[in-house]
């Protein structure tokens, strides 16, 4: 192991909004969080944006339709075009592009896409003094036995044990960035359970709100996994659920705080049960709760997180002072403002 990196003491920072003339590269820009980051940038008058993504046969291209940006670059062409200088200089790189499937079994693909690509893009960005903000994940924390602190300390990071290959591919870059000293110059975002509009293309990886809304329309009920640990009753497994609009604002705050560096948890800072979420969905739909518990598939049972909870103290110390949308309000906004309209 490399020598332990000393953590920078937290300081209160003030974020300076990006100048409208700033050039921004957003990878994964047609995806869930990436498209909301572009939306937030547009709201701030920033539209000198280059979007990069893999647009396959799903419908995520639709997320780009209402957004303002200068250019689109296929992710397969991005690094060569950056290194050749063809795309010019950027003030900020928001690297959200990744395979986000927690059940992906192709380890080589995850290593290329989530680790190798991120390493090469970070090296290019930092080599040109470009602000680099990338998506890590709460999946790097594993079962939480070592805590869920957004520490950049190498000894702490080395003790984490992700439960699936997705989490490991993200964790491996966090480790590399810590060893290389990059975390002193960039920001890694450990996203917790983000939900909201623009996630429909994610299929089985989309949030329970999206999936359960359809279940209620089709069957009148929401199906939740049974618990297999005695300390958690069925449906009382807990997650830190955060609305994508809050996640995007928190991310851009860190991007705009030039002195912010290292790993940061992005979450609501509270853990709520799947039952809480289900009841909020029924309330938003104006229906009485009807919940069924089903067996958890073996491949999920082995790697299941029973609780996630973001310690957001570093985020707050960085100067972020906006309130987080309550679970009920976020679900209501998503169901009434987006899912119900799509269903008609």
């Amino acid at each position: 192991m490399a020598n332990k990196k000393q953590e920078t003491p937290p300081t209160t920072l003030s974020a300076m909004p990006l100048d409208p003339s700033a050039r921004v590269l957003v990878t994964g820009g047609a995806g869930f969080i990436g498209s909301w980051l572009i939306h937030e940038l547009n709201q701030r008058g920033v539209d000198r944006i280059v979007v990069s993504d893999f647009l396959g046969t799903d419908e995520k291209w639709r997320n780009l339709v209402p957004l303002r940006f200068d250019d689109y670059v296929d992710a397969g062409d991005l690094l060569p075009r950056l290194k050749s200088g063809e795309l010019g200089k950027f003030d900020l790189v928001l690297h959200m592009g990744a395979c986000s499937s927690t059940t992906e079994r192709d380890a080589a693909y995850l290593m290329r896409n989530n680790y190798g690509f991120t390493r090469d893009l970070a090296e290019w960005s930092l080599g040109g003094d470009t602000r680099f903000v990338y998506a890590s994940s709460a999946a790097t924390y594993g079962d939480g036995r070592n805590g869920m602190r957004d520490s950049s300390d190498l000894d702490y990071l080395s003790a984490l044990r992700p439960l699936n290959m997705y989490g490991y591919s993200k964790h491996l870059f966090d480790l590399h960035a810590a060893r290389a000293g990059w975390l002193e110059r960039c920001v890694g975002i450990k996203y917790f359970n983000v939900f909201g509009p623009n996630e429909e293309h994610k299929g089985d990886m989309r949030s329970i709100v999206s999936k359960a809304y359809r279940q209620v329309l089709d069957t009148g009920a929401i199906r939740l996994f049974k618990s297999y640990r005695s300390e958690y009753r069925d449906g009382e497994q807990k997650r830190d659920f955060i609305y994508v609009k809050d996640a995007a604002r928190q991310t851009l705050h860190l991007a705009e705080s030039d002195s912010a560096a290292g790993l940061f948890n992005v979450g609501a800072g509270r853990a709520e049960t799947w039952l809480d979420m289900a009841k909020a969905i029924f309330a938003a739909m104006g229906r009485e709760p009807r919940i069924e518990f089903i067996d958890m598939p073996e491949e999920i049972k082995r790697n299941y997180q029973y609780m996630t909870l973001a310690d957001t103290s570093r985020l707050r110390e960085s100067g972020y002072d906006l309130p987080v949308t309550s679970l009920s309000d976020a679900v209501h906004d998503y169901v009434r403002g987006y899912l119900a309209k799509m269903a008609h």
Side-chain angles (χ1 to χ4, degrees), residues 48-188:
R48 295 187 67 206
I49 299 168
V50 173
V51 176
S52 183
D53 210 319
F54 285 115
L55 291 181
T57 57
D58 59 31
E59 296 288 290
K60 70 177 176 180
W61 63 268
R62 295 183 183 277
N63 294 340
L64 293 174
V65 174
L67 305 177
R68 302 192 311 273
F69 54 94
D70 278 348
D71 199 4
Y72 174 86
V73 178
D74 184 85
D77 300 327
L78 180 62
L79 284 171
R81 294 182 66 184
L82 286 173
K83 291 177 180 179
S84 72
E86 179 186 346
L87 296 177
K89 290 279 293 180
F90 290 92
D91 299 288
L92 171 65
V93 171
L94 296 169
H95 178 45
M96 302 293 117
C99 171
S100 61
S101 173
T102 58
T103 58
E104 176 59 57
R105 302 292 293 275
D106 188 339
Y109 170 71
L110 286 167
M111 290 295 274
R112 288 193 306 272
N113 202 42
N114 293 2
Y115 171 68
F117 189 94
T118 304
R119 180 199 60 215
D120 293 346
L121 183 59
E123 188 170 41
W124 178 86
S125 299
L126 297 175
D129 292 324
T130 299
R131 180 75 166 155
F132 184 70
V133 177
Y134 73 93
S136 182
S137 172
T140 59
Y141 291 126
D143 62 9
R145 70 180 63 189
N146 291 306
M148 294 186 175
R149 295 186 293 111
D150 44 3
S151 171
S152 300
D153 178 81
L154 188 53
D155 286 349
Y156 174 72
L157 291 175
S158 298
L160 298 179
R161 296 292 181 267
L163 297 174
N164 53 50
M165 185 57 208
Y166 163 75
Y168 179 64
S169 68
K170 290 288 191 177
H171 178 58
L172 194 61
F173 179 75
D174 291 343
L175 284 171
H176 180 81
R179 292 190 184 106
W182 292 352
L183 290 180
E184 298 166 5
R185 303 166 54 202
C186 71
V187 169

Side-chain angles (χ1 to χ4, degrees), residues 230-246:
S230 58
E231 62 267 41
Y232 295 91
R233 291 186 295 185
D234 290 344
E236 294 191 355
Q237 306 96 315
K238 293 183 176 181
R239 290 287 182 275
D240 187 316
F241 298 109
I242 179 168
Y243 201 29
V244 68
K245 297 181 182 182
D246 291 311

Side-chain angles (χ1 to χ4, degrees), residues 12 47 51 58 74 82 110 128 138 226 253 267 294 308-309 343:
T12 300
D47 54 19
V51 176
D58 59 31
D74 184 85
L82 286 173
L110 286 167
K226 296 176 182 176
H253 163 80
I294 61 174
T308 65
L309 173 60

